[in-house]
Amino acid sequence: MLEAICSHKELSLTGYYPHVCDLIDSDKLGELKQITHHISTTRFQHCVNVSYYSYLVCRKLNLNARSAARAGLLHDLFYYDRKEYNSSRSRGELSHSAMHSRQAAENAAALTEITPLERDMIEKHMWPLTRPMPGYRETYVITLVDKYCAVLEFCVPKLKKAAKAFR
Ligand SMILES: [Fe+2]
Ligand SMILES: [Fe+2]
């Protein structure tokens, strides 16, 4: 099953899937299934969440939904440990926010062809924590969807646990 958080749709049966099917099954994306992200999910699932909801929002707004789906899936394509990076980082080195988005863009470009729009979405998805400003409307979408998904990923498991306790 390929699902996004708070959706019960089988994504491989939707119009979203053809835009990302070449990436979803790649080994590089597969490695993200082993990495915990936002405490209660995997980095792979987080990327699927951001990809699917960015796709839906961009489609609704008549923006480039295909690029939103692809950039969303690739926006956190990095493999280093955030805590280790922060603890060994010296003054003047990039923050984790800037570093991981830059690395994700490089890893994405090594994996597939990315358009200038997709690069902008990946490199600037942490805005406003990082500079410069987004260059496309789609980039504003991914910055918002990324934060929205992070909140859902953190809260939904806790709410489900609380609901079970009241049954
Ligand atoms: Fe990120
Ligand atoms: Fe993210």
Side-chain angles (χ1 to χ4, degrees), residues 116-117 119-121 124 127 132-140:
L117 163 60
R119 179 175 284 278
D120 197 74
M121 293 180 79
K124 299 175 184 170
W127 185 84
M133 287 182 70
Y136 299 85
R137 283 178 290 176
E138 288 85 348
T139 307
Y140 286 101

Side-chain angles (χ1 to χ4, degrees), residues 2-71:
L2 183 68
E3 288 183 352
I5 191 167
C6 296
S7 164
H8 296 297
K9 279 190 181 163
E10 169 53 58
L11 297 184
S12 65
L13 303 176
T14 67
Y16 157 81
Y17 191 67
H19 298 299
V20 294
C21 59
D22 59 316
L23 301 174
I24 286 266
D25 293 326
S26 70
D27 291 343
K28 286 294 174 191
L29 263 290
E31 285 178 43
L32 301 184
K33 293 177 181 174
Q34 310 305 322
I35 303 174
T36 303
H37 203 77
H38 295 149
I39 301 171
S40 58
T41 191
T42 66
R43 190 165 298 155
F44 176 83
Q45 185 61 55
H46 169 69
C47 288
V48 170
N49 297 338
V50 173
S51 170
Y52 181 59
Y53 287 113
S54 294
Y55 166 81
L56 289 184
V57 172
C58 284
R59 196 181 64 173
K60 187 84 182 165
L61 298 176
N62 284 323
L63 300 176
N64 191 329
R66 176 180 168 82
S67 283
R70 293 181 73 80

Side-chain angles (χ1 to χ4, degrees), residues 37-38 46-47 50 75-76 100 125-126 146-147:
H37 203 77
H38 295 149
H46 169 69
C47 288
V50 173
H75 83 285
D76 275 336
H100 86 273
H125 76 268
M126 292 302 290
D146 185 39
K147 289 155 189 70

Side-chain angles (χ1 to χ4, degrees), residues 64-81:
N64 191 329
R66 176 180 168 82
S67 283
R70 293 181 73 80
L73 199 56
L74 299 167
H75 83 285
D76 275 336
L77 190 67
F78 68 98
Y79 305 94
Y80 69 83
D81 185 282

